[in-house]
Amino acid sequence: MPPPKKLDLIPEELRRWLAEELRDRGFSDIVSVTDALNGRIAAEGLEIRVGKSAVGDFSKALKDQREAFALADVLLSDLDIEREGDIHRVLMQMIANSAVHMIQNVRDNDGHLEPKDLMSLGRMLKDLMASSGMREKLLEDERKRLVRETREAREAEMEEALEATAKEAGLDGAMLDRLRRGVLGLRA
């Protein structure tokens, strides 16, 4: 088992500060951010020194994750179905996080993919495929709902128009019901 990364040994507050600092600087200026981080670590009284390659790797992982979330938001923002968006957002976040961790693991282990990581990749793909099926079902349900609501609105308009016309023409209730059933196919 490889030793823990130095960034994993620093307090969570410092990792959050590092993530915010990298975002604020556009994921660049790694040397300056590394110096500032090491200054904060020393101020905390810790005897750890983090290298710029570790900060650079962390920056790349954050940037990759941010881009994955941004892409998911763009893709999902075009959808009108709020529930579908929520489902896909959660799923995309899970997949993006898993993919970032897997990429880091493969990079750290000289490109070697462990069987359990391969199984995780398979699960991610399975989840994505299940999500696609769910998305198609939600879209089809939404299409059916829109068609049904449109049909019901048209029927209501036709019913109103029929009643107004029947009243103007002086037709009785029996004739109105007959017109509803025979001509328009509306419910009595």
Side-chain angles (χ1 to χ4, degrees):
M1 181 180 209
K5 295 179 182 179
K6 289 185 180 178
L7 284 176
D8 292 337
L9 299 175
I10 65 173
E12 180 63 31
E13 307 86 51
L14 287 177
R15 277 197 302 278
R16 276 196 298 269
W17 173 86
L18 176 60
E20 289 172 14
E21 192 68 19
L22 287 167
R23 279 188 210 109
D24 291 347
R25 296 185 188 208
F27 302 100
S28 61
D29 201 14
I30 301 299
V31 174
S32 176
V33 173
T34 303
D35 290 341
L37 174 64
N38 283 321
R40 287 177 172 262
I41 291 172
E44 294 265 332
L46 300 172
E47 296 183 15
I48 299 172
R49 182 137 181 94
V50 177
K52 49 185 182 196
S53 62
V55 173
D57 289 345
F58 186 70
S59 174
K60 173 134 179 52
L62 281 176
K63 187 177 180 185
D64 291 346
Q65 184 178 26
R66 181 180 182 183
E67 288 172 357
F69 290 161
L71 178 62
D73 281 341
V74 167
L75 290 173
L76 296 174
S77 67
D78 292 338
L79 302 174
D80 289 334
I81 307 169
E82 187 175 328
R83 182 174 167 213
E84 177 186 6
D86 291 341
I87 291 169
H88 274 82
R89 191 176 325 276
V90 169
L91 210 95
M92 290 297 284
Q93 287 174 350
M94 288 175 13
I95 291 170
N97 281 331
S98 298
V100 166
H101 290 299
M102 188 176 295
I103 289 167
Q104 286 176 334
N105 191 27
V106 169
R107 192 180 326 148
D108 293 345
N109 292 322
D110 298 325
H112 179 70
L113 189 62
E114 293 291 324
K116 70 176 186 166
D117 293 334
L118 188 58
M119 191 169 76
S120 294
L121 179 61
R123 270 193 226 122
M124 284 190 316
L125 292 172
K126 178 182 167 247
D127 290 346
L128 185 58
M129 290 169 66
S131 171
S132 294
M134 186 182 308
R135 178 180 181 275
E136 289 303 316
K137 183 182 180 327
L138 287 170
L139 285 172
E140 181 61 27
D141 290 349
E142 181 68 4
R143 280 187 215 109
K144 287 178 181 176
R145 183 188 66 79
L146 290 172
V147 166
R148 185 184 70 246
E149 287 178 0
T150 302
R151 185 188 71 241
E152 289 170 356
R154 276 188 286 186
E155 286 178 0
E157 288 173 9
M158 289 188 316
E159 177 74 23
E160 287 176 20
L162 179 63
E163 285 183 21
T165 304
K167 193 176 215 180
E168 287 175 14
L171 298 177
D172 64 1
M175 182 56 85
L176 181 60
D177 288 341
R178 193 168 162 197
L179 285 173
R180 276 188 192 119
R181 284 188 306 272
V183 176
L184 296 177
L186 295 175
R187 296 182 295 272

